[in-house]
Amino acid sequence: MKFLVEPGGSMTGSLRVPGDKSMSHRTVMFGALAEGTTTATGFLEGQDALCTVQAFKDMGVVIRGPEQGRIEIDGVGMHGLKAPENVLDMGNSGTSIRLLSGLLAPQTFDSVMTGDVSLQKRPMGRVTTPLALMGAVIDSEEGKPPLAIKGGQRLKGIHYEMPMASAQVKSCVLLAGMYAEGRTSISEPATTRDHTERMLRGFGYEVECENDVISLQGGGSLKATSLDIPADISSAAFFLVAASIAEGSDLTLEHVGMNPTRAGVITILTLMGADIEVLNEREVGGEPVADLRVRSAPLTGIEIPEDLVPLAIDEFPVLFIAAACASGKTVLSGAEELRVKESDRIASMAEGLTRLGIENDVREDGIAITGGQITGGEVDTFHDHRIAMSFSVAALRASGPIHVNDCDHVATSFPGFAALARGVGLNITEVN
Ligand code: S3P
């Protein structure tokens, strides 16, 4: 499936984007291991979260839904998972395979996890290394999936200094730590999303955070809870940029998760001159939530402060489109993690931007983009959902139609993107 996006248009009205992907994964994982039935609304019915659902069903957990965002998970307790009969297929989802590595390493049974072409290229040494230090036995294909996990190991708590800023690595170690003897602690080189810490507490597991060291004691248990998952700020980001760059826009995004470890995109766009009004701020189930009103505004290129990189890590593809529409140069550095996402997001975006006439200069850890006139043209997505949606939004300021190839992966994080975007003014059609 491809997207054909005609140039121009403005973004008006209001919409709620689908539920938060990180929180949806964790809802299933923690709900499955809890005592009692967990219910959630606002659950993301995207392929990634559905892979996590299927994996736990394969391990004997009864899960009803998701249906219209509602899901019910009958928890089996910390030691109630059953050996899966087949290889667990994590599809495109790095979060599923990396977090589940931490949960499966301490089980009594063996398991094997794999994924699609993109996932099979992604580094897993970042989770197998700390897990091995805890006593886990995991075989990989030279540090890549499939991962074969040998059950029956007794893990011990460690202190781990993370070499990279990654919430998936942090979460993996903490989840294994729940089963380990003694205390497990980590320190991260920069703050990353803290959904694991917040949600574990919501499920009644004590997590301490002192002097930037996050720790928990092994041997505890989780209690079922109910959650209202906010709209994913990473999905909202496409519309924040769309309404900022398209003349005559006035768009409201409802019920957006505003966790400070995720809201870097708003800070960056505001530094570039975007007009984003944060309305109706409230707290829902321990997470800050707000409605965001965005109106078009002239953007200016900036040097993106490096401390904001982990707080906007999934939003750079669409921020590069904002940079392409800004006056002057935008420079990103300290972002080498972008090279190991669903695609190498620096290379994928640079190639598409060049095809659309936007001058850019690629560096190992980032990119410099000079704003200019986006032309029409054909771009590849490299099987990456966020690249597909970013180039779709670029058409709002293009001089001709943009053809975005290979867009099936959009459903991993944002099912219904094209219809929702069309409803607020993007001239997008799906072509088979
Ligand atoms: C995620 C962490 C981030 C992010 C991913 C979801 C999570 O990955 O890119 O989309 O849910 O923990 P890294 O930990 O690799 O930065």
Side-chain angles (χ1 to χ4, degrees), residues 190-247:
T191 303
T192 65
R193 66 188 65 190
D194 63 359
H195 299 298
T196 293
E197 298 91 302
R198 283 178 189 246
M199 288 180 66
L200 280 180
R201 289 188 194 112
F203 278 85
Y205 206 109
E206 209 177 297
V207 182
E208 211 172 84
C209 186
E210 215 172 278
N211 302 326
D212 292 334
V213 175
I214 303 158
S215 68
L216 52 71
Q217 181 71 30
S221 61
L222 299 170
K223 311 229 163 9
T225 186
S226 62
L227 298 102
D228 177 10
I229 300 171
D232 197 325
I233 191 167
S234 299
S235 298
F238 299 104
F239 294 96
L240 294 176
V241 171
S244 297
I245 63 173
E247 226 172 272

Side-chain angles (χ1 to χ4, degrees), residues 261-336:
T261 62
R262 297 286 301 282
V265 61
I266 295 176
T267 317
I268 294 170
L269 283 173
T270 306
L271 288 172
M272 295 177 81
D275 178 358
I276 302 173
E277 222 182 315
V278 180
L279 303 167
N280 198 10
E281 286 179 87
R282 55 214 184 260
E283 201 173 288
V284 179
E287 292 275 350
V289 168
D291 301 326
L292 302 176
R293 183 176 180 190
V294 200
R295 279 169 280 195
S296 22
L299 302 182
T300 310
I302 58 163
E303 283 209 16
I304 298 174
E306 282 195 26
D307 57 335
L308 293 177
V309 170
L311 312 183
I313 193 66
D314 290 337
E315 289 68 75
F316 285 106
V318 77
L319 282 168
F320 294 173
I321 301 301
C325 298
S327 59
K329 201 183 251 194
T330 297
V331 182
L332 171 69
S333 37
E336 48 280 281

